[in-house]
């Protein structure tokens, strides 16, 4: 960790765009920090931790409210999963809904749909869409993976958020609050005691419950497909805001692409589709305090989506510029790692990401790796899917 312009920053090299964004956020915040997987986002960088007194930032939470990760350990033997991996991944691919704006093939009911919050104007018209999309995975960097750990135990890991509900809710509050559009703009910050700020927190909490319910359902569905039981669960948001006390101050801590990591708190952090992921826990340290007990949410991109896949005219199919990553490059990497892949675009190839162990190394003073998860099956939305709901 190094202090840059008064901001605690993890990772090297430092992304100058993300650094400029977090420095701008610091002007109106009680505390800020930048995790090692940081890169530019909309107004607030991915990997940014921004804390406020009596204020909340819809820009900081972002469009994919409550995007997060869940890992569930299953009681099925790893040898059986390896032996049947092609069939298993075919079943995962056909039973679950991947892609932009998809409805779940299975009707899912949940007690959250009885919540009084649905009567509020920002979400009232979104309830049926939310019902239809509960348990859908989406596109971009969202996935359903099967792993084995160092003890040869099987885990299912998922990454996605609150789908259209979160995106449309965020859009409503950003517009109502007069947020500026663009990357290098001031974040929208609302007083939590105002009507708009209070309503945002209520609707954010609903989107948080919704995202948890979706990830719970997908993990349970994968367990059902495998005929397995869930033995252990690790579940975290990483695009969310929490009311916390730090050094005697009550703060709203916004984590955008950052995982809560209080001492003893477990988290699931994914690498890229062809790399290892981890189950970790926070440990007490001076660095942990500086990060407001936060850590990375993934490996972090080193190549933009456009640079990876190139530019294509979506109407004519004409290639405007070629990408730096070909599908063969991606598949060669995956084959070498022994991963059974379904879907995925070249903009999610391992070539586009940092290596997770190196990124985690920057946070070694504040986290402990409990389990290392090696992927055996990966399912993501296919090539040419553009998803407005992703983080």
């Amino acid at each position: 960790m190094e202090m840059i312009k008064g901001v605690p920053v993890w990772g090297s090299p430092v992304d100058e765009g993300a650094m400029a964004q977090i420095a701008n956020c610091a002007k109106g915040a009680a505390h800020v920090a930048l995790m090692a997987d940081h890169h530019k986002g909309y107004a607030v960088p991915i990997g940014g931790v921004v804390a406020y007194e009596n204020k909340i930032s819809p820009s900081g939470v972002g469009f994919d409210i409550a995007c997060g990760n869940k890992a569930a350990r299953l009681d099925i033997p790893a040898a059986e999963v390896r032996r049947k991996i092609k069939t298993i991944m075919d079943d995962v691919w056909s039973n679950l809904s991947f892609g932009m704006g998809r409805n779940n093939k299975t009707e899912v009911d949940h007690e959250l749909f009885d919540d009084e919050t649905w009567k509020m104007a920002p979400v009232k018209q979104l309830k049926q869409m939310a019902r239809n999309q509960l348990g859908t995975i989406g596109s971009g960097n969202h996935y359903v993976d099967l792993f084995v750990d160092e003890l040869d135990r099987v885990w299912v890991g998922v990454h996605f958020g609150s789908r259209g509900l979160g995106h449309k809710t965020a859009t409503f509050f950003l517009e109502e609050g007069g947020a500026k559009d663009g990357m290098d703009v001031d974040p929208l910050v609302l007083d939590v005691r105002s009507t708009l700020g209070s309503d945002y927190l209520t609707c954010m909490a609903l989107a948080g419950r919704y995202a948890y319910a979706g990830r719970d359902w997908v993990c349970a569905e994968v367990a059902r497909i495998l005929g397995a039981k869930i033995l252990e669960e690790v579940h975290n948001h990483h695009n969310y805001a929490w009311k916390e006390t730090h050094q005697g101050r009550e703060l709203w801590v916004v984590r955008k692409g950052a995982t809560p990591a209080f001492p003893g708190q477990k988290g699931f952090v994914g690498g890229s589709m062809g790399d290892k992921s981890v189950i970790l826990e926070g440990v007490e340290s001076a660095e942990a305090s500086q990060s407001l007990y936060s850590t990375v949410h993934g490996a972090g991109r080193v190549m933009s989506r456009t640079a990876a896949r190139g530019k294509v005219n979506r109407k004519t199919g004409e290639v405007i510029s070629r990408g730096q990553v070909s599908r063969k490059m991606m598949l060669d990497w995956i084959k070498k790692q022994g991963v059974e892949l379904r879907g995925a675009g070249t903009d999610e190839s391992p070539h586009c990401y940092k290596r997770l162990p190196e990124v985690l190394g920057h946070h070694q003073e504040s986290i402990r790796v409990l389990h290392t998860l090696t992927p055996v099956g990966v399912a993501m939305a296919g090539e040419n899917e553009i998803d407005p709901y992703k983080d």
Side-chain angles (χ1 to χ4, degrees), residues 10-260:
W10 285 260
S12 179
V14 175
D15 183 300
E16 293 303 324
M19 185 64 227
Q21 287 185 321
I22 199 71
N24 187 52
C25 293
K27 296 175 183 176
H31 186 89
V32 297
L34 200 56
M35 304 298 98
D37 59 338
H38 65 262
H39 54 94
K40 282 189 75 171
Y42 286 95
V44 179
I46 312 301
V49 178
V50 187
Y52 302 93
E53 288 190 87
N54 295 316
K55 294 177 183 177
I56 184 63
S57 175
S59 304
V61 175
F63 283 102
D64 195 357
I65 299 172
C67 188
N69 288 343
K70 179 175 181 178
R73 183 163 61 87
L74 308 178
D75 67 350
I76 188 171
E80 182 180 343
V81 170
R82 290 190 183 97
R83 187 172 65 252
K84 299 178 178 178
I85 192 63
K86 289 183 182 295
T87 300
I88 289 170
M89 294 312 296
D90 284 344
D91 290 344
V92 167
W93 185 250
S94 61
N95 278 274
L96 300 177
S97 299
F98 296 85
M100 179 182 71
R102 303 293 169 83
N103 293 334
N104 198 333
K105 301 167 186 175
T106 303
E107 186 175 334
V108 183
D109 197 13
H110 195 279
E111 62 182 10
L112 71 87
F113 292 115
D114 297 326
D115 196 296
E116 291 294 306
T117 304
W118 293 108
K119 296 178 181 178
M120 294 176 61
V123 296
K124 190 174 184 179
Q125 303 303 318
L126 306 180
K127 188 174 182 180
Q128 189 57 50
M129 178 200 65
R131 277 187 185 275
N132 296 341
Q133 290 188 342
L134 185 64
T136 63
I137 293 92
S139 184
N141 56 357
H142 295 159
Y143 57 75
V144 176
D145 289 0
L146 282 169
F147 301 96
V148 293
D149 68 13
E150 71 285 347
L151 299 175
D152 217 31
R153 301 178 303 182
V154 176
W155 297 72
V156 55
V158 302
H159 171 218
F160 61 92
S162 51
R163 311 302 300 125
L165 171 64
H167 188 272
K168 293 180 186 298
T169 300
T171 299
F172 174 90
F173 284 98
L174 288 167
E175 290 179 350
E176 286 293 306
K180 297 176 183 176
D181 189 23
M183 303 276 282
D184 299 306
V185 299
D186 292 335
L188 174 66
V189 179
L190 304 173
D191 192 308
V192 297
R193 296 162 294 191
S194 69
T195 299
L196 195 62
S198 175
D199 286 354
Y200 176 78
L201 289 175
T202 301
C203 292
M204 180 192 75
L206 180 68
R209 290 182 61 204
Y210 179 85
Y212 260 82
R215 295 190 291 262
D216 285 344
W217 185 85
V218 170
C219 286
E221 182 67 3
V222 174
R224 184 195 66 78
I225 290 169
L226 270 63
K229 292 181 180 179
I230 294 176
L231 302 176
E232 179 182 354
E233 298 177 313
V234 180
H235 202 171
N236 309 85
H237 296 318
H238 53 233
N239 280 13
Y240 204 67
W242 292 261
K243 194 175 187 179
E244 300 171 359
T245 300
H246 294 273
Q247 298 177 345
R249 288 191 299 176
E250 201 170 70
L251 303 172
W252 279 100
V253 180
V254 178
R255 295 183 177 90
K256 186 175 191 176
T259 304

Side-chain angles (χ1 to χ4, degrees), residues 85-86 89 145 271-276 325-346 348-351 353 355 374-380:
I85 192 63
K86 289 183 182 295
M89 294 312 296
D145 289 0
S272 68
M273 67 172 82
D275 279 334
K276 290 178 170 59
V325 181
S326 68
R327 190 154 188 87
K328 183 180 185 303
M329 289 168 61
M330 180 178 76
L331 295 178
D332 283 349
W333 183 306
I334 295 303
K335 183 178 180 181
K336 186 176 179 180
Q337 297 301 318
V339 175
E340 188 70 23
L341 179 66
R342 295 292 180 274
T346 52
E348 283 301 319
S349 173
H351 300 84
Y353 286 87
R355 305 283 70 83
T374 301
V376 293
V378 173
M380 308 176 76

Side-chain angles (χ1 to χ4, degrees), residues 349-387:
S349 173
H351 300 84
C352 305
Y353 286 87
K354 300 172 187 175
R355 305 283 70 83
L356 183 60
E358 296 174 15
V359 174
L360 292 172
H362 293 287
H363 288 269
Q364 62 184 347
E365 298 297 320
S366 58
I367 59 167
R368 177 187 300 117
V369 174
L370 300 176
H371 302 296
T372 299
L373 310 182
T374 301
V376 293
V378 173
M380 308 176 76
E383 193 88 64
N384 301 321
E385 285 275 2
I386 303 297
D387 188 351

